[in-house]
Amino acid sequence: MIKNVICSSISERRTFAIISHPDAGKSTLTEKFLFLGNIIRQEGMVKAKRSKKYIKSDWMESEKKRGISVTTSVIQIPYHKYLINLLDTPGHEDFSEDTYRVLTAVDFCLIVIDAAKGVEERTKKLISITKMHNIPIITFVNKLDRSSLNFTKLLDQLEIEFNMVCSPITWPINHKYMFYGVYHMLEDVFYFNSEKSICNNSNVFNVVYGLNNVLLKNIFDVEFIAKFREEIELVRLIYKSFDCSSFLKGSLTPVFFGSALKNFGIDHLFKSILHWAPPPTFKISHTRKVKSYEKKFSGFVFKIQANMDLKHRDRIAFIRIVSGKYKKGMKLYHVRTKKYSIKTEVFSFIAGERFLINNAYPGDIIGFHNHNNIKIGDTFTEGEELKFFGISKFAPDIFRFISLDNPLQYKKLLKGLIQLAEEGAIQIFRSITNNKLILGAIGKLQFDIIMERLKIEYNIYAIYNAINIFTVRWIKSKNNDKIVDFKEKYSVNLAVDIDNNLVYLAPTSINLNLIISRYPDIIFCNTCEY
Ligand code: G4P
């Protein structure tokens, strides 16, 4: 059994998510982190168990069938004096809104890019969310042991797509189309395997200190060394040198090169996570800035996971601790319901496995049973009325109209869907003209999961129909008359979400742009705070 080691220091906690386009190497990299933290004793163990408990969860039937992870898992990794809370996000094509919300519960992100593919679609979308929250980003360019894009072209693409400055910390040594290792730009050190290139399997890596070290001649031909020095000079000229405050502000990303599979370059990356990446600092609430070192406990719910334990059909609320300390037996105040309670079982996680804990600190993710009274966005404190900013619903990308074989089940369907929407598994919009129920999701797989859960958990047999919606926008205005006028004209395109917020269902992007230009006094938002 894995031991859950809790260190109490806030400054030695690192809470982050690894994000990437599917197949960029997120799971392989996570495995290396688990290995570094002695969570697994042998590399390759995760890959062998990938469809089991360590990296990809297998909580849902759909996941089992497809061998994929549909939800985010949380992994706590003790490393020397540090405690790393890693929030793993689903890597398949059909990831969900859950992934977006995880980004509200982390202090920084690690982005994995496939060196041969550059910035892919999913990464672009995730970057736009991290930008919304000004989250610092560390970039790891993976799969250097294989052929890759031109490195400067790749960094230029990153700068454009991320809209931030790239600062290479390591630079790849590619000799005769082989990846030999990296040159560390800050340390002025070469890390490589002198015998064979890293494309071959070898775990012995050597170091040579200094770009001008004569020892390099024993490894590479003189011509290559001269060219590489020129290359480094150019890289120093083109790209900004690392500046920690710009990184923490989210305007600069340090870039590392390596190979997760060959376990090369991971140590440099890991060091940067420990030394540069921010520990938990604060979170803005509606009333004040809540600092991590405050004495009193506060935390918010960013995720609700159903069916972690299929035998008990339980729902677990995941809470990111913002301040104070959680102590076993303490009274927690549920701000929305204004009720105090003592949670008998509080967990920490390693993917699908959970452990009962007695203490937890800012940056940690804890979980407790949710008996249908906890919602995403809820706050727990020791009594203070706090509500944290930034825990949002996101405009879905795809929509379905849901109907029933048996219309008498409408109430039951609504109840089931509301519960599923409260978990953040799907979004429901109810047309204001005809009460029709429209479901919205970020990935198609969410619809399959909902159908399956309606059947298994609620005994409801529903059908999906296509519906012509491009996107939704939550609408607000300081001038209520404008909303009244808008409602009269566009009632057919209006619906309410689960919390009765008014949304505009745009059939096309052209229509949306037209409407936005026609109604300058109305704000059309693509997110909505819980
Ligand atoms: P993901 O979680 O981002 O979806 O990616 P994952 O780690 O599952 O990696 C996707 C594929 O890329 C895997 O190969 C993995 O072994 C490979 N990979 C990861 N890092 C590297 C690397 O540094 N170099 C090379 N050459 N390959 C890498 P697969 O064949 O799809 O799976 P498997 O049979 O190896 O499990």
Side-chain angles (χ1 to χ4, degrees):
M1 171 126 156
I2 300 151
K3 208 171 139 209
N4 180 31
V5 183
I6 296 284
C7 70
S8 59
S9 167
I10 296 172
S11 61
E12 279 138 16
R13 276 181 153 65
R14 299 289 181 272
T15 302
F16 71 104
I18 306 189
I19 54 180
S20 73
H21 193 85
D23 276 346
K26 191 165 59 64
S27 304
T28 312
L29 187 60
T30 306
E31 177 193 74
K32 306 300 165 190
F33 288 163
L34 291 177
F35 183 67
L36 280 173
N38 284 324
I39 299 285
I40 53 170
R41 266 164 227 101
Q42 187 191 328
E43 290 173 74
M45 195 171 161
V46 170
K47 285 178 98 36
K49 294 191 173 194
R50 191 168 284 171
S51 60
K52 299 198 180 132
K53 64 190 175 189
Y54 287 98
I55 292 297
K56 311 245 171 168
S57 64
D58 64 348
W59 303 327
M60 295 267 315
E61 272 306 307
S62 302
E63 289 190 31
K64 279 191 203 159
K65 275 187 215 152
R66 293 160 199 254
I68 49 169
S69 163
V70 290
T71 50
T72 309
S73 55
V74 181
I75 305 170
Q76 209 168 48
I77 309 172
Y79 182 75
H80 295 293
K81 58 179 187 169
Y82 293 93
L83 192 90
I84 291 164
N85 292 305
L86 198 168
L87 278 71
D88 186 31
T89 51
H92 59 90
E93 294 285 352
D94 281 309
F95 81 145
S96 71
E97 214 186 328
D98 199 50
T99 311
Y100 291 170
R101 237 171 343 252
V102 159
L103 301 179
T104 64
V106 297
D107 297 317
F108 63 99
C109 275
L110 171 59
I111 293 196
V112 184
I113 305 280
D114 183 328
K117 294 185 178 155
V119 184
E120 296 171 89
E121 258 336 286
R122 190 65 78 213
T123 317
K124 286 185 199 169
K125 191 103 196 214
L126 289 164
I127 287 286
S128 67
I129 310 284
T130 61
K131 296 292 257 182
M132 269 168 56
H133 300 289
N134 277 335
I135 304 170
I137 294 171
I138 298 175
T139 306
F140 182 66
V141 180
N142 191 29
K143 303 197 185 181
L144 264 282
D145 56 307
R146 294 212 302 224
S147 61
S148 49
L149 299 174
N150 172 291
F151 304 125
T152 45
K153 272 198 187 138
L154 189 80
L155 288 202
D156 293 348
Q157 189 200 18
L158 289 180
E159 291 203 332
I160 294 167
E161 298 292 351
F162 290 11
N163 190 22
M164 60 167 62
V165 170
C166 282
S167 175
I169 306 299
T170 56
W171 193 258
I173 311 166
N174 259 21
H175 184 42
K176 296 180 181 162
Y177 304 105
M178 298 284 232
F179 174 53
Y180 272 76
V182 293
Y183 169 69
H184 200 295
M185 309 278 295
L186 304 186
E187 295 174 0
D188 188 21
V189 176
F190 286 85
Y191 293 89
F192 57 91
N193 179 337
S194 58
E195 299 297 320
K196 299 166 189 153
S197 88
I198 285 157
C199 302
N200 300 314
N201 270 320
S202 169
N203 283 325
V204 185
F205 299 115
N206 293 330
V207 293
V208 170
Y209 296 90
L211 197 54
N212 296 316
N213 196 320
V214 286
L215 289 178
L216 287 172
K217 284 188 193 147
N218 301 338
I219 305 154
F220 302 110
D221 52 67
V222 181
E223 209 179 308
F224 174 77
I225 299 168
K227 249 176 90 185
F228 189 77
R229 282 183 189 136
E230 261 175 41
E231 191 177 329
I232 292 298
E233 222 172 278
L234 202 70
V235 170
R236 287 200 202 282
L237 265 177
I238 308 174
Y239 301 104
K240 272 210 152 177
S241 49
F242 180 70
D243 156 33
C244 203
S245 75
S246 306
F247 160 61
L248 295 177
K249 275 189 231 143
S251 59
L252 174 149
T253 177
V255 182
F256 295 83
F257 291 86
S259 163
L261 192 67
K262 307 285 176 187
N263 204 1
F264 192 86
I266 315 299
D267 43 352
H268 305 136
L269 181 65
F270 209 59
K271 248 194 233 165
S272 80
I273 289 173
L274 303 182
H275 295 154
W276 299 335
T281 44
F282 65 85
K283 179 110 185 139
I284 308 279
S285 79
H286 283 232
T287 42
R288 66 187 187 86
K289 196 174 186 174
V290 181
K291 300 192 183 89
S292 55
Y293 54 78
E294 289 181 22
K295 271 204 160 148
K296 298 227 162 140
F297 176 91
S298 69
F300 62 90
V301 180
F302 66 95
K303 165 189 173 71
I304 291 173
Q305 174 70 54
N307 303 326
M308 268 181 89
D309 181 347
L310 279 173
K311 273 182 244 132
H312 300 102
R313 284 273 149 78
D314 59 354
R315 292 167 114 201
I316 301 285
F318 284 67
I319 290 100
R320 152 79 200 234
I321 302 182
V322 176
S323 66
K325 174 182 175 182
Y326 168 77
K327 275 182 295 207
K328 188 177 178 200
M330 79 188 286
K331 259 190 195 174
L332 290 178
Y333 178 61
H334 187 184
V335 175
R336 185 176 50 80
T337 59
K338 301 198 181 302
K339 282 187 184 147
Y340 283 92
S341 62
I342 295 173
K343 306 290 173 197
T344 46
E345 290 190 321
V346 173
F347 306 104
S348 156
F349 306 91
I350 294 190
E353 271 193 62
R354 48 179 123 153
F355 309 87
L356 284 173
I357 51 156
N358 295 329
N359 300 305
Y361 300 85
D364 291 349
I365 310 297
I366 57 171
F368 38 74
H369 291 284
N370 172 19
H371 305 288
N372 286 343
N373 55 351
I374 303 175
K375 291 186 189 177
I376 291 173
D378 281 0
T379 311
F380 286 88
T381 66
E382 290 188 39
E384 189 177 348
E385 301 288 334
L386 284 177
K387 172 102 181 82
F388 290 104
F389 270 126
I391 306 116
S392 317
K393 294 173 216 169
F394 296 84
D397 288 335
I398 35 180
F399 299 85
R400 297 278 185 275
F401 161 56
I402 187 164
S403 62
L404 287 160
D405 272 347
N406 173 5
L408 294 177
Q409 283 195 316
Y410 181 86
K411 264 196 175 165
K412 207 169 151 191
L413 173 70
L414 192 60
K415 188 178 160 221
L417 286 177
I418 286 174
Q419 277 188 5
L420 295 171
E422 278 173 0
E423 274 176 29
I426 198 98
Q427 287 193 52
I428 326 168
F429 304 99
R430 191 164 44 80
S431 158
I432 65 164
T433 48
N434 57 20
N435 278 343
K436 277 189 176 175
L437 297 176
I438 298 151
L439 304 190
I442 303 282
K444 270 197 219 114
L445 180 60
Q446 293 308 108
F447 291 116
D448 296 352
I449 291 165
I450 293 300
M451 205 50 104
E452 191 170 306
R453 289 189 58 189
L454 283 174
K455 251 187 248 165
I456 297 170
E457 294 168 39
Y458 301 90
N459 199 22
I460 292 172
Y461 290 79
I463 324 156
Y464 289 132
N465 297 295
I467 187 162
N468 185 28
I469 298 173
F470 161 68
T471 191
V472 301
R473 289 292 179 264
W474 282 269
I475 57 176
K476 286 179 206 145
S477 177
K478 282 185 184 150
N479 184 343
N480 199 39
D481 292 346
K482 299 280 175 195
I483 296 279
V484 174
D485 174 48
F486 189 74
K487 262 174 124 173
E488 265 173 29
K489 287 201 177 112
Y490 294 99
S491 60
V492 183
N493 295 77
L494 290 175
V496 286
D497 71 3
I498 184 178
D499 299 310
N500 259 336
N501 299 306
L502 198 60
V503 295
Y504 179 72
L505 310 171
T508 62
S509 66
I510 297 170
N511 167 280
L512 180 65
N513 291 334
L514 198 73
I515 295 287
I516 292 174
S517 65
R518 267 193 210 151
Y519 288 85
D521 296 321
I522 295 183
I523 305 166
F524 294 80
C525 302
N526 59 1
T527 59
C528 176
E529 290 271 318
Y530 272 95

